[in-house]
């Protein structure tokens, strides 16, 4: 997993440490040294040094000969989300949308050829895939991913699609590259995207863009339904208009937040006099 950098300043040790953190997930919340070494493709001594370093930093804890992540790992991702100011703005709107539709709603951003969920309000329903903040899916198989890919320039789109997905799902073979580009052109023109059981059986969703203060698409917001309960027609006729209004409200408030006249000054010295 490590050693994939090509730049002269690439720090392989840092990459390996991040690889170790990425080994832990819902299916493997606790791992032995041998399991971490195997999952990260590292020698046992190297994996041991990295784990002990992460333990000293507070990101990993050792219990009964095995290792697990600590809640401190959340600070790595939440620092990014908090810096955007997006979650605080989006949360009440997502909650209102979910209350009106009775369906789960999420926000995601593009990372290479994948989307990564940065906000979510869910309802308890049996659905094929579990989704939480930080979940990664191939962009071409999701409504949010199509919205985000459609917003890219031709060169950026080519570069994004050339990246290998890190979602861990099998490649989607139901669409040719030409058909995908035609679909993205249509998505760009109409302003929304549909994914009908492309990610998993029973999962149907519609998504629209969320824009920043410059009008640039920075995220996508969706409504996800169970295909057996909600038809495509109902999803588009009933839920899509509510989703579009919600995304518009979030975009407008985000633009105001970004333009706020806020400057943070350094803390004065304790001995300085105040006026």
């Amino acid at each position: 997993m490590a050693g994939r950098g090509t730049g002269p300043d690439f720090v392989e040790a840092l990459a390996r440490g991040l690889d170790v953190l990425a080994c832990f997930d819902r299916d493997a919340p606790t791992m032995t040294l041998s399991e971490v070494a195997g999952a990260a493709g590292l020698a046992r001594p190297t994996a041991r040094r990295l784990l002990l370093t992460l333990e000293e930093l507070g990101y990993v804890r050792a219990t009964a000969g095995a290792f697990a992540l600590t809640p401190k790992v959340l600070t790595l991702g939440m620092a990014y989300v908090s810096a955007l100011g997006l979650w605080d703005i989006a949360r009440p709107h997502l909650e209102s949308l979910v209350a009106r539709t009775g369906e789960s709603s999420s926000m995601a951003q593009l990372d290479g050829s994948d989307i990564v969920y940065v906000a979510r309000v869910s309802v308890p329903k049996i659905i094929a895939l579990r989704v939480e903040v930080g979940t990664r899916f191939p962009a071409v198989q999701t409504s949010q991913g199509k919205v985000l890919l459609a917003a890219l320039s031709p060169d950026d789109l080519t570069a994004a699609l050339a990246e290998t997905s890190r979602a861990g799902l099998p490649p989607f073979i139901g669409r040719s590259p030409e058909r995908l580009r035609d679909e993205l052109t249509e998505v760009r023109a109409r302003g929304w995207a549909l994914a009908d059981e492309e990610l998993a059986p029973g999962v149907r969703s519609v998504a629209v863009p969320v824009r920043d203060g410059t009008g640039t698409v920075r995220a996508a917001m969706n409504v996800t339904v169970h295909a057996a309960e909600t038809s495509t027609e109902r999803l588009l006729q009933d839920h899509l208009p509510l989703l579009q209004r919600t995304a518009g409200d979030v975009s407008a408030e985000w633009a105001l937040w970004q333009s706020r006249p806020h400057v943070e000054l350094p803390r004065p010295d304790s001995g300085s006099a105040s006026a």
Side-chain angles (χ1 to χ4, degrees):
M1 297 172 67
R4 57 199 170 278
T6 58
D9 298 319
F10 181 79
V11 181
E12 187 171 341
L14 176 59
R16 288 176 172 174
L18 294 174
D19 285 341
V20 167
L21 291 176
C23 289
F24 299 89
D25 57 23
R26 179 164 56 95
D27 296 324
T30 303
M31 304 177 72
T32 65
L33 171 58
S34 296
E35 289 171 339
V36 171
L42 300 171
R44 279 174 54 92
T46 301
R48 179 179 178 275
R49 289 195 301 271
L50 291 170
L51 284 167
L52 293 178
T53 299
L54 291 168
E55 184 181 16
E56 285 197 39
L57 293 173
Y59 293 108
V60 169
R61 69 165 59 94
T63 305
F67 296 88
L69 300 181
T70 71
K72 187 176 180 180
V73 173
L74 292 173
T75 62
L76 299 176
M78 292 310 298
Y80 169 73
V81 175
S82 299
L84 288 176
L86 188 53
W87 169 237
D88 289 336
I89 293 170
R91 179 173 58 185
H93 294 285
L94 285 172
E95 291 173 346
S96 176
L97 177 63
V98 169
R100 298 179 70 183
T101 63
E103 305 290 352
S104 299
S105 182
S106 307
M107 293 185 66
Q109 292 188 291
L110 194 65
D111 182 19
S113 63
D114 294 332
I115 61 165
V116 179
Y117 284 76
V118 297
R120 179 167 174 81
V121 176
S122 60
V123 294
K125 290 196 174 187
I126 299 176
I127 202 159
L129 292 172
R130 178 175 175 176
V131 178
E132 52 196 21
V133 172
T135 295
R136 177 183 294 269
F137 288 135
V140 297
Q141 295 173 236
T142 68
S143 59
Q144 295 182 95
K146 293 177 188 178
V147 165
L148 295 168
L149 290 172
L152 299 178
S153 68
D155 288 344
D156 288 342
L157 175 61
T158 298
L161 295 178
E163 292 196 29
T164 302
S165 171
R166 291 180 282 157
L169 296 180
F172 181 64
I173 58 175
R175 183 192 300 110
S176 67
E178 294 75 18
R179 184 179 171 188
L180 173 62
R181 290 181 183 274
D182 289 343
E183 183 177 1
L184 294 180
T185 299
E186 185 177 355
V187 169
R188 188 180 306 111
R190 71 189 181 193
W192 56 268
L194 176 71
D196 193 359
E197 300 189 84
E198 298 171 35
L199 185 62
V203 179
R204 177 177 290 154
S205 69
V206 64
V208 297
V210 175
R211 303 176 185 274
D212 65 10
T214 68
T216 302
V217 175
R218 294 283 303 278
M221 178 184 294
N222 78 345
V223 171
T224 302
V225 301
H226 197 293
E229 298 177 353
T230 305
S231 66
T232 302
E233 290 73 19
R234 184 185 175 200
L235 179 62
L236 298 182
Q237 292 177 11
D238 296 345
H239 297 336
L240 176 58
L242 296 174
L243 175 64
Q244 289 173 319
R245 286 197 289 272
T246 301
D249 291 341
V250 172
S251 297
E253 288 190 21
W254 196 15
L256 289 174
W257 183 88
Q258 290 177 312
S259 64
R260 71 198 190 289
H262 175 85
V263 176
E264 185 170 328
L265 298 177
R267 183 185 299 272
D269 294 336
S270 58
S272 61
S274 57

